[in-house]
Amino acid sequence: MKKVFVILLAVFEINLLANSSVLSRVPLPQEVFIKFDMRDCDISCDDKIEEDQIIIFTDDGSKSQVLTNKNGQTENLYYDKIIQKDENVFLKHNGNPQVRLALIIPQKNIHRYATTVTNSVISYLMAKNAQFEIKVFNIGNEDPLSLRIAFENVKKLRFKVAIAPLTPKGADFTAKNISDLLIFIPTINANFIQNPPQNIIFGGISYQKQIDLLSRYANEKIATFSDGSNLGERLNIIASRNNNIAYSNKITNSKVNLKYMLKGNKRLNNASIFLNMPLVKSSLLASQLRVYDVYPYSLLSTQINYHPMLLSLTQYQDRKKLYIANSISPSPLNIRATNALFGHTIVYDWVNYATNVGLDYLYANYFSQGEPRIFKEMISSNQIIYNTSILKSSRHGFYLQGE
């Protein structure tokens, strides 16, 4: 009896302590940014630099390079700096840059790509260990005057090559008015431009090619959903060119109640549904079809929904019939690593991937002629030609259709 009493008393004391409102004495967590500073690399260190370098960026914007041998073992470490001369100029050279490059950035039009395209350019050149000077011309928007002034300033500063992530509007103006610069536009496919000029290389993926491939997994009953954006409507037009559309609708708000679109909608049952919307809205629709007893023949999506977040936003059962077109091929480890250290990916983001591919072509054919190319995509009629494949998703990732 005494033993039972002692045990009950102990349990009572534990519960009492658990319910106590006394504040814990454990200190709050703190963020600490560790600075791994090292001495500048001297001549003897430079002599030891080899291939297969993995680049690491430290907190002060400096660059460290970890050298690895063929077995993947670390052999040496040296330290170098990128000099940010001002907020728009990035330098890494000893007075004679191998690469002089202008970036035309309409920040208000391309939003986050203003940063990621710039970082993609820097990371590629760092991975190549190139000597470079990059000048960023942040023009705000794509009105004709801003573009004309920017390109005039590029020429005044004697830049011969420019990268310009533009929308169709800005690309159309550039194609019609700028003929004396070599320009790479990573965001637009040449099909968007009438009579594309020879001085512009286009890096945009071909949505026409992607939809043509997706159509192999469709039946004759086609439905489309878009978000009302220019891209969404363009994808609707492409999907409807050779098909009779049984149903089409727009989801302009991710908080919309889909019951009125889906419940009892016979036009969606056994239909091939094109998801011409961004990730969140496409995931929302895919997850609600089964809720309202809609069973499609297939779900079809272009590049816009190729993202690992799709795996967490949808259940596996909701995407079993989903086919995704993808034009991003595997990239070398050092290129992926340097891009990742800037906080973005070229594995899932086609604009960042296109920027690397286009710069790789310029580097091998203009800045360092004869240099072997890293990426395998060819250029035809001034357009990057991507290898497009169809992917399906498992419970934990993506795989090639047919594997």
Side-chain angles (χ1 to χ4, degrees), residues 145-168:
L145 181 60
S146 297
L147 284 167
R148 191 178 297 277
I149 291 174
F151 282 113
E152 288 300 323
N153 288 332
V154 167
K155 289 181 282 187
K156 285 180 181 178
L157 293 175
R158 298 183 179 180
F159 287 96
K160 305 297 183 182
V161 182
I163 293 180
L166 304 172
T167 69

Side-chain angles (χ1 to χ4, degrees), residues 78-150:
Y78 92 100
Y79 186 73
D80 197 2
K81 293 177 181 285
I82 300 177
I83 301 173
Q84 189 168 354
K85 188 175 181 182
D86 59 43
E87 64 178 359
N88 293 320
V89 178
F90 301 88
L91 305 174
K92 180 188 172 289
H93 62 82
N94 298 318
N96 185 27
Q98 180 183 15
V99 177
R100 292 190 74 244
L101 189 63
L103 296 182
I104 309 296
I105 304 294
Q107 188 166 7
K108 294 180 180 178
N109 296 98
I110 63 172
H111 306 293
R112 68 183 179 89
Y113 286 117
T115 299
T116 63
V117 168
T118 302
N119 288 343
S120 290
V121 169
I122 295 175
S123 62
Y124 173 87
L125 294 174
M126 294 299 293
K128 295 292 288 185
N129 198 29
Q131 304 292 305
F132 62 81
E133 175 184 346
I134 297 172
K135 170 72 174 175
V136 179
F137 296 82
N138 193 337
I139 62 174
N141 57 53
E142 293 179 327
D143 69 77
L145 181 60
S146 297
L147 284 167
R148 191 178 297 277
I149 291 174

Side-chain angles (χ1 to χ4, degrees), residues 13-24:
E13 290 178 349
I14 291 172
N15 288 335
L16 182 63
L17 290 173
N19 292 327
S20 173
S21 60
V22 178
L23 293 176
S24 171

Side-chain angles (χ1 to χ4, degrees), residues 6 28 36 55 94 105 115 154 199 247 266 268 285 287 289-290 299 341 374 378:
V6 171
L28 295 173
F36 297 97
I55 302 173
N94 298 318
I105 304 294
T115 299
V154 167
N199 66 304
Y247 181 81
K266 296 180 180 179
L268 293 177
L285 179 65
S287 64
L289 291 173
R290 205 154 42 101
L299 297 175
L341 289 166
I374 294 175
M378 302 301 292

Side-chain angles (χ1 to χ4, degrees), residues 38 48 121 123 135 197 203 286 376 399:
M38 302 178 65
K48 298 178 181 179
V121 169
S123 62
K135 170 72 174 175
K376 304 302 181 184
Y399 63 92

Side-chain angles (χ1 to χ4, degrees), residues 96-313:
N96 185 27
Q98 180 183 15
V99 177
R100 292 190 74 244
L101 189 63
L103 296 182
I104 309 296
I105 304 294
Q107 188 166 7
K108 294 180 180 178
N109 296 98
I110 63 172
H111 306 293
R112 68 183 179 89
Y113 286 117
T115 299
T116 63
V117 168
T118 302
N119 288 343
S120 290
V121 169
I122 295 175
S123 62
Y124 173 87
L125 294 174
M126 294 299 293
K128 295 292 288 185
N129 198 29
Q131 304 292 305
F132 62 81
E133 175 184 346
I134 297 172
K135 170 72 174 175
V136 179
F137 296 82
N138 193 337
I139 62 174
N141 57 53
E142 293 179 327
D143 69 77
L145 181 60
S146 297
L147 284 167
R148 191 178 297 277
I149 291 174
F151 282 113
E152 288 300 323
N153 288 332
V154 167
K155 289 181 282 187
K156 285 180 181 178
L157 293 175
R158 298 183 179 180
F159 287 96
K160 305 297 183 182
V161 182
I163 293 180
L166 304 172
T167 69
K169 175 184 175 182
D172 183 66
F173 172 86
T174 302
K176 292 177 179 177
N177 294 277
I178 309 300
S179 59
D180 50 354
L181 280 173
L182 178 57
I183 302 170
F184 172 54
I185 302 179
T187 46
I188 299 298
N189 189 278
N191 290 334
F192 278 75
I193 306 298
Q194 291 185 352
N195 302 317
Q198 292 298 309
N199 66 304
I200 299 180
I201 300 171
F202 297 90
I205 59 176
S206 173
Y207 287 112
Q208 177 70 62
K209 182 178 180 180
Q210 291 197 348
I211 290 178
D212 287 345
L213 286 176
L214 288 168
S215 296
R216 298 178 183 178
Y217 304 92
N219 59 6
E220 295 179 356
K221 189 178 181 182
I222 304 296
T224 63
F225 283 88
S226 78
D227 61 345
S229 65
N230 290 335
L231 176 59
E233 293 305 295
R234 183 176 180 85
L235 294 177
N236 279 355
I237 293 172
I238 296 174
S240 63
R241 280 178 181 168
N242 298 316
N243 300 292
N244 294 319
I245 304 300
Y247 181 81
S248 183
N249 213 327
K250 299 177 184 179
I251 300 177
T252 58
N253 189 335
S254 57
K255 297 181 180 180
V256 67
N257 187 346
L258 297 179
K259 177 179 179 181
Y260 303 105
M261 293 185 189
L262 304 181
K263 188 175 181 180
N265 192 339
K266 296 180 180 179
R267 289 175 291 178
L268 293 177
N269 266 318
N270 198 40
S272 301
I273 302 176
F274 279 91
L275 303 176
N276 297 329
M277 305 177 291
L279 182 61
V280 173
K281 293 173 183 175
S282 292
S283 300
L284 176 64
L285 179 65
S287 64
Q288 292 295 298
L289 291 173
R290 205 154 42 101
V291 172
Y292 294 107
D293 296 321
V294 175
Y295 300 98
Y297 178 84
S298 61
L299 297 175
L300 308 168
S301 174
T302 61
Q303 194 81 44
I304 54 179
N305 287 305
Y306 178 51
H307 195 280
M309 282 295 294
L310 177 72
L311 306 177
S312 58
L313 291 174

